[in-house]
Amino acid sequence: MRLPGRFLVLACGFLVAAAGIAQAPPPPREVPGGTLVVQPPTQTVTESRAVSVVQAPQPLGFESDLNCFGYVGPARETFLATVIGAENVAEQTDYTTSDLLYIDAGYERGLKVGDEFWLITPEQTVVHPTTGKDLGQFYQHRGRAVADSVEGRTATIRVTNSCTDIPMGSFLKPFEPIPIPLARKTAPARAGDLPSGKVRGRIVSTRDGIVAVGADHTVLVDLGTADGVEPGDFLTIYRYAVGREYGIRPVGAYWVNLPPPPGVFIPRTYLGEIGVLAVGDRWAVGRVTDSYRLIEVGDEVELK
């Protein structure tokens, strides 16, 4: 079937749901073969829409930040039981996930199959880096275990998660989940920002004794519930950079940043920000969420 020599082709336009400005149609154009193409009028649509985005609360850390760190407690804390043996005691001196351990407590102390425990070892005394005050003893979470079988005065536990090696003599403490706080993050402080005027403290220890930390590291600060600090809060990290010749001093394995001498005034050097994960009476565990440079024990913090 032959088409007539000339026919009209109409191009389809899209209807846009907005106010527009009509434009004059372009002149007809002829394509090869003698076909005449006519385009209909079009509209240019301009629309400005202000969108307000509210950031949803986000977790401030991960389970490992808390479950594999620890807490500050009294010296010589009393525990439920002690690891006194192991299935692989002839081949191992330290233990890990799936190993069977033997403890010195059973159903006479209220234990039952399925009970969960922290595996804990007492570590060093936490000493304040500038005042020298004893803040308590640090107890490290080595991992977690569950009671596999229970007798009268003994029981077998299976390690369900190990953060590091678990030595003989580790202590057991009933497991209680530690929730990861949610919070909305705002921009950290930068050079020239004024202090918030809220409670201030210092970084007193770091996870695994790391001398200088950055983002995603876990630290211990000397602020807690007694100071109005709660999980989900943010702490601004800063120091007064007054010269290395008198601005630092050694404290144990750390080089501690000191405040300016009396009569010396200098702006803050902002280092980053900490999200608070867990708190005690006078201490808090936090995760460094932002860092501009290396952060050290003795650096100051301020509630945001």
Side-chain angles (χ1 to χ4, degrees), residues 9 19 21 35 87 94 146 152 164 189 195 206-207 217 220 256 267 288:
V9 178
I21 301 174
T35 301
E87 181 183 53
D94 295 293
V146 63
T164 181
T206 64
R207 182 173 172 176
H217 283 86
L220 193 69
V256 175
V288 178

Side-chain angles (χ1 to χ4, degrees), residues 70-284:
Y71 64 95
V72 179
R76 297 178 296 278
E77 182 176 340
T78 301
F79 292 96
L80 177 65
T82 306
V83 176
I84 58 173
E87 181 183 53
N88 299 331
V89 72
E91 297 88 13
Q92 296 174 226
T93 56
D94 295 293
Y95 303 92
T96 186
T97 302
S98 298
D99 285 340
L100 289 176
L101 308 178
Y102 307 143
I103 62 175
D104 62 354
Y107 61 74
E108 290 187 358
R109 293 194 195 172
L111 273 69
K112 60 184 183 297
V113 173
D115 285 347
E116 291 188 83
F117 307 96
W118 295 109
L119 292 164
I120 291 172
T121 55
E123 302 297 329
Q124 75 282 354
T125 298
V126 181
V127 178
H128 196 281
T130 57
T131 66
K133 182 181 178 181
D134 182 351
L135 300 179
Q137 187 161 9
F138 183 74
Y139 292 90
Q140 181 176 355
H141 289 153
R142 294 276 181 165
R144 288 162 53 187
V146 63
D148 202 62
S149 63
V150 179
E151 301 178 33
R153 297 185 179 180
T154 187
T156 301
I157 61 172
R158 183 178 299 276
V159 179
T160 55
N161 176 266
S162 62
C163 303
T164 181
D165 58 299
I166 301 168
M168 193 67 63
S170 297
F171 294 107
L172 273 69
K173 187 172 185 176
F175 171 74
E176 294 182 1
I178 306 175
I180 303 298
L182 301 176
R184 288 188 175 90
K185 197 172 183 310
T186 57
R190 294 186 176 272
D193 287 351
L194 296 176
S196 70
K198 298 180 181 179
V199 64
R200 294 181 295 173
R202 287 184 181 270
I203 296 174
V204 297
S205 184
T206 64
R207 182 173 172 176
D208 300 324
I210 298 175
V211 174
V213 301
D216 301 329
H217 283 86
T218 315
V219 298
L220 193 69
V221 301
D222 62 347
L223 298 175
T225 55
D227 306 293
V229 175
E230 300 178 350
D233 286 341
F234 287 93
L235 305 174
T236 297
I237 315 169
Y238 64 95
R239 74 168 64 112
Y240 293 102
V242 292
R244 304 297 283 186
E245 69 277 5
Y246 60 89
I248 61 172
R249 69 178 173 88
V251 175
Y254 300 112
W255 283 91
V256 175
N257 291 284
L258 302 177
V264 175
F265 301 94
I266 189 170
R268 290 179 174 183
T269 296
Y270 287 108
L271 307 175
E273 194 165 275
I274 294 171
V276 177
L277 300 176
V279 297
D281 183 40
R282 295 286 183 181
W283 59 268

